[in-house]
Amino acid sequence: MTRMDSRAAAIRSYGLREATVSGSSPSGVHKGEISPELLGLTSLSGAEVLQRLRTSERGLSAAEVERRRAAYGANKVAHEERETLVGQFLRRLRNPLNILLLTLASVSVVMGDREAALIISVMVVLSLSLAIIQERRSSKAAEQLRAMVHTTTAVVRQVDASDQGPAAPSEPREIPIEDLVPGDIVHLSAGDMIPGDLRLIAAKDLFVNQASLTGEALPVEKHSQPEPTPAVDIGGLTNICLMGTTVLSGSATGVIVLTGRRAYFGGLAAAIAGERALTSFDRGINRVAWLMIRFILIMAPLVFLINGLTKGNWVQALLFATAVAVGLTPEMLPMIVTVNLAKGALAMSHRKVIVKRLNAIQNFGAMDILCTDKTGTLTQDRVILQKALDLLGHESHEVLEYAYLNSYYQSGLKNLLDVAVLHHAEAETLVRTAHEYRKLDEVPFDFERRRMSVAIEGGGRRLLICKGAVEEVFAVSRQGRAGAQSFPLDPTHWAQLRSTVDDLNADGFRVIAVAVKELPATQATCDLRDESDLVLLGYIAFLDPPKESAGRAIAALARHGVQVKVLTGDNEIITRKICREVGLPVERVVLGSELESLTPAQIADLAERAHVFAKLSPSQKAAIIVALQRNRHVVGFLGDGINDGPALKSADVGISVDSAVDIAKETADIILLEKSLLVLDEGVIEGRKVFGNVVKYIRMGASSNFGNMFSVIGASAWLPFLPMAPVQVLANNLLYDFSQTAIPTDNVDEEYLARPRRWEIGNIGRYMLFIGPISSIFDYATYLTLYFVFGAKTVAQASLFQTGWFVESLVSQTLIIHIIRTRRLAFIESRASPALLLTSLVVCAVGVWLPYSPFASALGFEALPLLYWPILGVMILVYLGLTHLTKSWFHRRFGLD
């Protein structure tokens, strides 16, 4: 069930690796082409670019922003537009089952049977209306929640001089991406999604992932220098960043050139809007639908030929065959699926969970492994800086001060550790110290080095301050310092430091090393080469305690057949401690370094056996998920960082949170407004309820249709008249369909919810073979009763026969859903929802009433003899009992819940 990145796949299908320069379409949307307007800026300097776009480094004024928004519109792409009611209706009407029904209605009109055409049309409208109403309800709830979540970008705009003075500085501020206009100045850092097609005017160690456009996994370095030679493909755009790509590391400033549909990706989105790779749930539904259609294509002609040959009235035979085809069509299947999924999404919205893709609900139910990061999921996501220690283990204000300066001046992605440093109890004093310095340059963080550095100037000296993972910072340090004492570092110091760090990790602390280096007075910039010969000062220790609810949530997921595996970039000691505290088995912790030399088969074996993985790179997280999928697992992943992007794309269910970086929120199928595993357990249950109720309808329809095949063929060959008039078949089907509309509200047994659920078409087929013929046995018992007991043998008594079979058929198939819906004893050990019980009783009552109603003559019914009713009651009870026994044997025989 590996979920493709359908956007990238669809884009690649348009040949975008070889995209070339061309003109725009008349609408101004560039479909797979690099805009000449964008390319014309590549050879210009930053100042010339700003002049060309009529903007400045201070950004646009509020009035200019409004003028440009009026001219260019909101920065949105096609997939964000809401589908109209008419569009939704037409989309659902194109379903193959609805097309078949409308075709049959047209045949009925041509043959002069307007009543049949009307009934068929009512069935289609009923199915479409219920599906659309429920889907719009869930969409409205999701939109209300989605309004609380914004993907934002840091933009520089001119400050109103009346408020801030004539020379008011322009400071970056976060605004929703859709509010951007061409000419806006944006600041980018690691984790940001590029909000529009832009030209870089400043960049520092900027690496961008363009996989969403090119399919190329390796990051591409970008800079702001002019390019004298125009590029002819995406890979050559070294000073251009395109909408939809993401910043992996580094920082930059750029000016927005194209937004919305005018952007490269916006034009592609308009061309491929709505296209999405089918999930296994979609494919399973389609297989069932086409199975039923093929079944109809065999049955309808057979019924037509038998009745035409035996009765000689080919027009009547065609009308009856048409009605039988309608009766065999699972016309409520699209409605049942949509209403179930929408109902699940609505239930999740009440728990502050945004479901971006309805089918993700069912994938939740099928999920048997949840991979998650540690921070914020198992822990409280409330990191506190507890200790600042020198190399001798003493509290050190110097270490705290340098750590603060590093966090204060770095412009990249400020993670929870930086936030904890900046909010330390001494922050008021430390910020005054920070103002005594000015920033010169920085070397941004990346997941390979696992450290970052800033260069600052103050007090007559220039410093490089490095902060990062202990092992990585120690590796580039030459000396150590504790107070006034300096000493060269050697392996014994590393052993002592490692021991101290291990002790802190064992107590639940995350440890970050701090080092410093004096730079020459003439050096104004820095790069990776400057991260060498550092002086190691000490380390800062953070505490992120485990959540109280984490243990309960993991236990609940385990009860429901979902394993939790932790995939983290943190070290093994602290990971082991946290996992033990929340009840996760930690026989061994697999490190990322161990995976580097393993084959895919070995990784798959290890991924199966281990539960905790530490010090992983982003690609290793994705590799573990893919390995689990190769082992036929359905895998969910919960993550919120830039390093979680590849794993979120690879997972069958990508889950993120409101506070996540842009790329994580964009990639995820589901967004949690509260980061809690308890919510995920509820999502698992909702997914299984959805699947369970869909399978109830399919089992019911498949077994009923299979049984009806024997009943209709036998009666057609045996009787001198039609076993049921066409209009009666359609009325029977319409009433039965109405009784099934309440299935999405039905309860699902606890044992069914206890383990993951997937499509098992083979079991549905076997169910049809064993349960279907039972209904035929009682149909034939009804035939024999009407034929021999009540004398309905000739064409003159056809109405009596047809009425008797109509009532028996309707009542039996309406009540049998209560047997099929559970493996327990129906009505006693497991009760249907009140809505399903009510619709069943109403439909049965209508079926009993119709032969005595004012509509009886129009429908070809007549009053049934009094003796018929007790015979019918006995047959229904025996039918329900025999079906229950067969069902119970079937579940035991094939090990089904």
Side-chain angles (χ1 to χ4, degrees):
M1 287 182 62
T2 303
R3 181 170 57 86
M4 290 174 56
D5 179 10
S6 59
R7 179 176 66 186
I11 289 170
R12 287 197 296 273
S13 73
Y14 279 76
L16 300 183
R17 288 175 183 256
E18 310 299 329
T20 56
V21 179
S22 179
S24 65
S25 64
S27 65
V29 175
H30 301 280
K31 299 182 179 179
E33 302 159 353
I34 304 169
S35 165
E37 182 179 354
L38 194 64
L39 287 169
L41 302 175
T42 59
S43 61
L44 303 181
S45 68
E48 291 171 325
V49 170
L50 295 176
Q51 185 178 9
R52 173 80 65 88
L53 296 174
R54 299 192 305 280
T55 186
S56 71
E57 291 184 354
R58 295 182 62 237
L60 301 170
S61 66
E64 184 62 22
V65 168
E66 290 304 316
R67 279 194 291 272
R68 297 193 184 197
R69 184 175 293 119
Y72 298 109
N75 185 26
K76 295 181 178 180
V77 292
H79 67 81
E80 294 173 334
E81 293 182 355
R82 184 177 180 181
E83 192 174 27
T84 64
L85 186 62
V86 173
Q88 205 170 2
F89 185 85
L90 293 175
R91 171 173 58 84
R92 295 200 164 278
L93 200 60
R94 292 195 295 268
N95 182 280
L97 297 176
N98 290 327
I99 292 173
L100 175 63
L101 287 171
L102 293 176
T103 302
L104 296 175
S106 301
V107 171
S108 299
V109 170
V110 171
M111 300 303 296
D113 194 348
R114 297 183 182 275
E115 293 84 358
L118 178 62
I119 292 174
I120 296 172
S121 300
V122 169
M123 291 177 188
V124 174
V125 171
L126 176 65
S127 173
L128 290 176
S129 300
L130 288 172
I132 290 172
I133 289 170
Q134 186 67 25
E135 186 175 25
R136 290 183 78 84
R137 279 185 64 206
S138 69
S139 296
K140 184 177 180 181
E143 284 171 9
Q144 290 172 346
L145 287 178
R146 199 173 285 119
M148 301 167 64
V149 179
H150 287 292
T151 302
T152 61
T153 189
V155 65
V156 174
R157 285 179 178 168
Q158 293 180 20
V159 180
D160 190 343
S162 62
D163 294 334
Q164 304 294 333
S170 300
E171 294 292 334
R173 58 191 177 93
E174 294 288 330
I175 68 167
I177 280 179
E178 56 264 28
D179 291 345
L180 284 178
V181 296
D184 265 328
I185 307 297
V186 295
H187 286 202
L188 303 171
S189 58
D192 287 345
M193 186 175 70
I194 305 298
D197 289 356
L198 60 85
R199 166 67 156 83
L200 295 171
I201 55 177
K204 177 64 177 177
D205 297 322
L206 183 67
F207 285 86
V208 174
N209 186 330
Q210 299 185 148
S212 60
L213 297 180
T214 66
E216 178 57 56
L218 294 176
V220 177
E221 186 173 12
K222 301 281 186 177
H223 59 75
S224 59
Q225 285 76 37
E227 285 288 349
T229 305
V232 294
D233 58 30
I234 295 175
L237 297 173
T238 55
N239 56 15
I240 297 289
C241 292
L242 300 176
M243 173 191 275
T245 59
T246 55
V247 180
L248 286 183
S249 64
S251 59
T253 301
V255 56
I256 298 292
V257 181
L258 300 172
T259 58
R261 294 192 180 195
R262 297 177 69 246
Y264 182 83
F265 177 71
L268 296 171
I272 63 175
E275 293 190 14
R276 182 179 286 276
L278 293 179
T279 66
S280 66
F281 181 71
D282 299 319
R283 291 192 294 271
I285 290 291
N286 287 344
R287 285 172 63 190
V288 169
W290 283 107
L291 176 66
M292 297 292 192
I293 290 173
R294 285 193 293 270
F295 191 62
I296 293 165
L297 293 177
I298 295 172
M299 274 291 296
L302 189 60
V303 169
F304 170 67
L305 289 173
I306 290 174
N307 280 285
L309 292 172
T310 57
K311 297 165 184 62
N313 188 334
W314 290 96
V315 173
Q316 189 182 52
L318 180 59
L319 291 173
F320 182 65
T322 302
V324 168
V326 173
L328 294 176
T329 303
E331 61 274 1
M332 301 304 282
L333 180 59
M335 183 279 294
I336 293 289
V337 171
T338 298
V339 172
N340 267 294
L341 291 171
K343 180 175 173 288
L346 200 59
M348 294 305 293
S349 72
H350 295 152
R351 296 172 175 86
K352 294 188 176 181
V353 176
I354 300 171
V355 180
K356 290 171 63 180
R357 286 201 308 145
L358 276 183
N359 284 351
I361 294 282
Q362 191 279 328
N363 285 345
F364 250 154
M367 180 177 70
D368 61 342
I369 292 180
L370 173 66
C371 296
T372 177
D373 193 11
K374 173 180 63 64
T375 303
T377 306
L378 303 182
T379 61
Q380 292 181 14
D381 211 7
R382 187 172 52 85
V383 177
I384 303 167
L385 175 56
Q386 293 280 78
K387 299 174 185 289
L389 307 175
D390 64 19
L391 294 179
L392 300 178
H394 302 139
E395 287 287 340
S396 171
H397 183 78
E398 182 186 34
V399 171
L400 176 61
E401 183 177 291
Y402 281 123
Y404 189 92
L405 290 170
N406 179 284
S407 295
Y408 185 85
Y409 281 110
Q410 72 108 343
S411 61
L413 183 67
K414 284 185 168 59
N415 58 30
L416 291 171
L417 303 182
D418 288 306
V419 172
V421 172
L422 296 174
H423 288 83
H424 188 266
E426 296 184 35
E428 190 173 333
T429 302
L430 292 168
V431 75
R432 286 198 295 268
T433 302
H435 289 161
E436 297 173 4
Y437 293 85
R438 72 179 183 90
K439 180 180 175 180
L440 298 173
D441 203 356
E442 70 178 295
V443 184
F445 178 87
D446 66 54
F447 291 97
E448 298 302 319
R449 292 166 33 252
R450 300 176 67 206
R451 58 180 181 261
M452 69 85 49
S453 301
V454 296
I456 60 174
E457 180 183 38
R461 57 180 183 161
R462 295 187 174 189
L463 299 173
L464 179 84
I465 305 172
C466 181
K467 177 173 100 270
V470 176
E471 187 173 352
E472 279 70 13
V473 174
F474 186 91
V476 292
S477 297
R478 181 173 53 85
Q479 283 191 308
R481 189 169 78 208
Q485 181 184 0
S486 296
F487 45 87
L489 294 175
D490 59 41
T492 62
H493 292 106
W494 169 242
Q496 293 170 3
L497 180 61
R498 181 74 265 176
S499 176
T500 303
V501 170
D502 287 350
D503 290 342
L504 287 167
N505 289 160
D507 289 334
F509 288 96
R510 290 189 66 181
V511 182
I512 298 295
V514 179
V516 69
K517 174 183 180 179
E518 280 212 33
L519 298 175
T522 56
Q523 184 172 340
T525 62
C526 61
D527 56 33
L528 292 176
R529 291 170 297 181
D530 293 301
E531 288 185 334
S532 61
D533 296 331
L534 304 183
V535 177
L536 185 63
L537 300 179
Y539 39 86
I540 48 178
F542 304 84
L543 194 61
D544 187 11
K547 284 182 177 175
E548 294 179 4
S549 63
R552 288 186 286 115
I554 290 169
L557 286 166
R559 285 196 302 273
H560 293 128
V562 180
Q563 296 181 57
V564 175
K565 294 181 184 285
V566 174
L567 312 184
T568 181
D570 210 343
N571 73 69
E572 68 273 23
I573 298 175
I574 189 170
T575 301
R576 186 188 298 273
K577 181 183 189 307
I578 295 293
C579 289
R580 281 176 174 162
E581 288 185 2
V582 300
L584 273 175
V586 198
E587 289 83 6
R588 70 169 294 196
V589 176
V590 178
L591 302 182
S593 56
E594 296 179 51
L595 302 178
E596 294 174 357
S597 60
L598 300 182
T599 65
Q602 291 171 322
I603 293 176
D605 179 62
L606 194 57
E608 193 74 35
R609 291 184 286 110
H611 291 83
V612 182
F613 300 80
K615 300 196 79 170
L616 297 178
S617 68
S619 60
Q620 288 172 333
K621 290 184 180 183
I624 290 170
I625 288 173
V626 171
L628 290 168
Q629 290 168 334
R630 286 200 188 105
N631 291 346
R632 301 186 58 78
H633 292 290
V634 180
V635 187
F637 182 79
L638 172 59
D640 62 355
I642 181 176
N643 58 329
D644 295 324
L648 284 166
K649 282 187 177 183
S650 299
D652 299 299
V653 187
I655 310 156
S656 194
V657 293
D658 176 24
S659 57
V661 298
D662 297 346
I663 185 58
K665 285 188 287 189
E666 289 297 317
T667 307
D669 302 307
I670 289 174
I671 297 178
L672 312 180
L673 297 186
E674 296 177 358
K675 200 171 184 182
S676 169
L677 287 178
L678 286 171
V679 174
L680 294 184
D681 183 57
E682 293 169 355
V684 167
I685 299 304
E686 287 297 332
R688 293 177 191 175
K689 285 180 180 177
V690 166
F691 191 73
N693 283 331
V694 170
V695 168
K696 286 175 191 178
Y697 178 80
I698 290 173
R699 283 179 176 174
M700 177 66 206
S703 57
S704 176
N705 288 352
F706 190 67
N708 287 340
M709 177 184 71
F710 296 109
S711 302
V712 170
I713 290 176
S716 297
W718 171 40
L719 296 170
F721 50 82
L722 292 176
M724 204 182 291
V727 70
Q728 294 169 347
V729 173
L730 295 172
N732 183 301
N733 201 46
L734 178 61
L735 288 169
Y736 169 70
D737 282 347
F738 177 76
S739 74
Q740 304 302 293
T741 58
I743 283 180
T745 71
D746 193 26
N747 307 315
V748 180
D749 295 338
E750 289 182 7
E751 58 267 28
Y752 189 89
L753 302 175
R755 66 181 180 85
R757 297 291 165 182
R758 305 191 207 183
W759 280 113
E760 295 176 338
I761 301 297
N763 281 332
I764 292 175
R766 284 191 289 269
Y767 199 92
M768 178 178 71
L769 290 173
F770 283 100
I771 302 297
I774 298 176
S775 66
S776 293
I777 294 172
F778 290 90
D779 282 339
Y780 279 105
T782 302
Y783 296 166
L784 295 173
T785 300
L786 292 167
Y787 193 89
F788 291 107
V789 176
F790 299 108
K793 301 179 179 180
T794 64
V795 174
Q797 287 85 37
S799 177
L800 174 62
F801 187 99
Q802 292 167 346
T803 304
W805 189 36
F806 174 90
V807 173
E808 182 271 337
S809 174
L810 181 63
V811 172
S812 62
Q813 70 177 346
T814 300
L815 293 179
I816 202 64
I817 184 62
H818 294 273
I819 305 298
I820 289 176
R821 60 169 291 278
T822 176
R823 69 169 299 175
R824 301 179 184 177
L825 184 60
F827 304 109
I828 298 174
E829 296 178 349
S830 177
R831 293 185 179 88
S833 67
L836 185 56
L837 279 170
L838 180 62
T839 56
S840 298
L841 291 174
V842 167
V843 167
C844 288
V846 169
V848 171
W849 170 73
L850 276 177
Y852 308 96
S853 72
F855 306 105
S857 177
L859 293 171
F861 293 144
E862 65 178 70
L864 291 164
L866 192 60
L867 180 61
Y868 171 84
W869 298 108
I871 295 174
L872 175 65
V874 170
M875 282 198 296
I876 293 294
L877 288 174
V878 175
Y879 172 46
L880 297 179
L882 181 59
T883 303
H884 171 74
L885 292 174
T886 306
K887 172 199 69 179
S888 299
W889 169 86
F890 180 87
H891 281 279
R892 289 193 304 271
R893 171 66 178 78
F894 296 103
L896 301 179
D897 293 329

